[in-house]
Amino acid sequence: MEKKLDLKNIVLIGRTFNEYYRMFDIHNISKSERILDVASGVSSFCAEARTLGYDVTASDRIYCFSAKKIKEKCAKDLEITMTKMEEIKDLYKWEYFKDIKHLKGHRKKAYKTFIQDFKQNSRVEYVTTEYPKSHFKDKQFNIALVSHFLFMYDEHLGYKFHKKVIEELVRITSKEIRVFPIVNLKCEKSLFVNRLIEDKCFSKYEIETVKVNYEFVKGGNEMLVIKVQ
């Protein structure tokens, strides 16, 4: 039986600014850029980044719910995910995180930071968005970051969905779309990556995979970059 993180639905697992910084090479993104965090869930990136002076808007379908309901959901998802990881921990590199206990504490800190900020700024920085559609204006953002959404759930979200999301992000983004990771729940490179690169609908854009300084899933140290300028 093949090993994989056996998740039937998209889970609410938060990631921090430092993780985003490494996953998406944030060092080469100016603080003057308008950044969209796509399907951001309970990550603390928006909260932390805005504190540091970045212009970030978070977007996710869950933002129509109360902070209390979101907290209950992500706390439950974290317990389920950490339990499942015990069986497949050899698929991961334990360097950034020392062990599952350390990972769990990091994830808990991320969602608690998010919840606190969401309570205070839910109408300004957190926009309810049901991808693949959005209500954002054309070229409203310079950079779009897609963390642990596309490619990761390729068993549940088909290529047609991936394509529609990218088409929407091309519409609302003026410079770059960055997607991380490009591996799926089996910890394998998603077949949708090359399919998207070869799709004639995106032939006028420069699309490439770029190695980054972050690898938790073994071999999962690349992001997809779509330059839409």
Side-chain angles (χ1 to χ4, degrees):
M1 185 175 178
E2 64 182 357
K3 285 190 175 184
K4 66 174 182 178
L5 186 54
D6 189 18
L7 300 174
K8 303 302 181 185
N9 299 292
I10 296 176
V11 292
L12 296 183
I13 299 294
R15 292 169 178 86
T16 63
F17 175 84
N18 190 48
E19 287 179 89
Y20 270 61
Y21 193 88
R22 297 174 65 173
M23 292 188 302
F24 293 112
D25 278 347
I26 300 293
H27 72 274
N28 62 26
I29 297 179
S30 168
K31 290 184 179 180
S32 64
E33 305 283 20
R34 299 184 305 278
I35 302 171
L36 175 66
D37 191 1
V38 177
S40 37
V42 296
S43 288
S44 61
F45 172 69
C46 180
E48 294 182 81
R50 292 186 75 94
T51 298
L52 294 171
Y54 289 90
D55 182 356
V56 179
T57 297
S59 59
D60 200 288
R61 60 185 296 183
I62 68 167
Y63 298 152
C64 64
F65 298 108
S66 67
K68 182 176 182 294
K69 285 188 176 181
I70 295 174
K71 184 178 180 179
E72 290 172 354
K73 164 69 172 168
C74 63
K76 182 179 179 180
D77 284 354
L78 182 60
E79 291 298 327
I80 293 172
T81 304
M82 293 301 103
T83 298
K84 290 180 181 292
M85 285 193 69
E86 286 286 354
E87 302 173 2
I88 57 167
K89 56 187 178 183
D90 58 310
L91 296 178
Y92 297 84
K93 291 187 71 172
W94 298 99
E95 296 177 355
Y96 186 88
F97 302 110
K98 297 176 183 177
D99 50 34
I100 292 178
K101 182 180 179 180
H102 181 218
L103 170 65
K104 184 177 181 180
H106 196 85
R107 295 282 177 258
K108 186 176 291 187
K109 181 180 179 181
Y111 86 66
K112 285 187 174 182
T113 301
F114 157 78
I115 290 295
Q116 185 61 37
D117 193 60
F118 182 72
K119 287 178 179 178
Q120 299 173 347
N121 303 295
S122 61
R123 293 185 180 180
V124 180
E125 299 166 11
Y126 298 93
V127 181
T128 302
T129 309
E130 184 82 29
Y131 290 103
K133 295 182 179 180
S134 81
H135 297 292
F136 296 120
K137 298 176 182 178
D138 290 356
K139 307 306 178 187
Q140 184 171 339
F141 302 96
N142 303 123
I143 308 288
L145 307 178
V146 188
S147 167
H148 296 80
F149 175 43
L150 297 181
F151 303 133
M152 186 176 185
Y153 291 94
D154 60 4
E155 287 184 286
H156 308 292
L157 304 172
Y159 180 72
K160 185 177 180 180
F161 178 86
H162 282 66
K163 183 175 178 177
K164 285 185 175 181
V165 171
I166 295 299
E167 288 175 335
E168 179 66 358
L169 296 181
V170 165
R171 180 185 71 81
I172 63 178
T173 307
S174 67
K175 290 186 178 180
E176 280 189 7
I177 300 162
R178 302 184 183 188
V179 185
F180 182 92
I182 60 174
V183 295
N184 56 28
L185 293 173
K186 297 177 184 177
C187 300
E188 300 172 348
K189 182 179 178 180
S190 173
L191 296 177
F192 292 163
V193 175
N194 287 338
R195 189 172 173 183
L196 192 146
I197 291 173
E198 296 167 2
D199 196 315
K200 292 182 180 179
C201 291
F202 305 116
S203 60
K204 66 178 179 180
Y205 306 116
E206 182 181 334
I207 307 177
E208 62 179 340
T209 57
V210 178
K211 285 197 173 182
V212 297
N213 184 30
Y214 182 90
E215 185 178 3
F216 182 35
V217 175
K218 290 180 179 178
N221 61 341
E222 291 180 296
M223 67 173 170
L224 185 74
V225 178
I226 304 172
K227 296 183 178 180
V228 298
Q229 282 184 310

